[in-house]
Amino acid sequence: LVFAQEHCPELMVQEYMSGQEYGVDCYVDMLSGRCVSVFIRKKLKMRAGETDKAVSVRDPQLCELVRGFAERAGFRGQIDLDVFCEDGVYYLSEVNPRYGGGYPHAYLCGVDTPSMYIANLEGRVNEPQTDNYEAGIAMMKYVELKLRRVED
């Protein structure tokens, strides 16, 4: 790491975070600029930067942190955030202004942000729906491999 930093001064290095990681899907209304949907998943198993196993949770403190950040930063539409909690303190580590790979988890728990986009496109402002999902629902991804002989 020291060698890389000496030869690539623009390199950004993130501090190692050993605490609990959360993934958050957030929708900021395109018209009002208000954060109207926050879905929180507690990451249980990661592989190659992807969440393999997570469970939906409610965390009012984290929800308010995300809501305030998203509105102050001026985001619009869907954003995907990664957050760590160490010793009761939340650290925002990454923000992606797009749907994340875990969005199907949110959708299947009741969070329908595509409908929020449609409402905005029709000129309607969405009302806050931050508690519109069920906590305690697990999502698991897996990779499947299948082999078979093919005749020429």
Side-chain angles (χ1 to χ4, degrees):
L1 182 58
V2 171
F3 176 83
Q5 287 179 313
E6 288 172 355
H7 291 84
C8 189
E10 69 276 5
L11 183 67
M12 184 187 316
V13 178
Q14 178 178 322
E15 177 182 341
Y16 176 73
M17 304 296 284
S18 62
Q20 178 61 54
E21 185 175 4
Y22 294 88
V24 183
D25 294 316
C26 174
Y27 185 82
V28 181
D29 191 85
M30 304 284 285
L31 302 176
S32 71
R34 290 175 50 214
C35 177
V36 295
S37 177
V38 176
F39 176 84
I40 303 169
R41 73 180 58 76
K42 180 179 181 180
K43 297 183 179 189
L44 303 174
K45 184 173 184 200
M46 301 289 294
R47 179 177 45 88
E50 290 288 321
T51 305
D52 273 354
K53 185 176 181 181
V55 63
S56 57
V57 297
R58 292 195 189 282
D59 184 325
Q61 182 183 356
L62 179 53
C63 182
E64 285 307 310
L65 174 80
V66 167
R67 180 193 326 273
F69 166 76
E71 290 178 2
R72 282 191 312 276
F75 285 101
R76 294 291 192 275
Q78 181 74 22
I79 60 174
D80 169 63
L81 306 98
D82 291 329
V83 180
F84 285 89
C85 185
E86 294 219 3
D87 300 321
V89 178
Y90 291 104
Y91 297 91
L92 182 59
S93 73
E94 187 174 333
V95 180
N96 297 292
R98 60 171 170 75
Y99 283 95
Y103 177 71
H105 187 194
Y107 185 79
L108 294 171
C109 286
V111 178
D112 185 7
T113 56
S115 291
M116 294 177 195
Y117 271 113
I118 291 169
N120 282 164
L121 290 170
E122 292 174 343
R124 293 182 284 122
V125 172
N126 290 290
E127 293 300 317
Q129 305 175 28
T130 54
D131 292 332
N132 65 336
Y133 67 90
E134 189 174 349
I137 303 296
M139 172 202 71
M140 293 167 273
K141 294 180 189 175
Y142 62 93
V143 176
E144 184 177 306
L145 178 67
K146 184 174 185 176
L147 298 173
R148 70 178 198 190
R149 186 170 308 283
V150 178
E151 300 296 324
D152 289 334

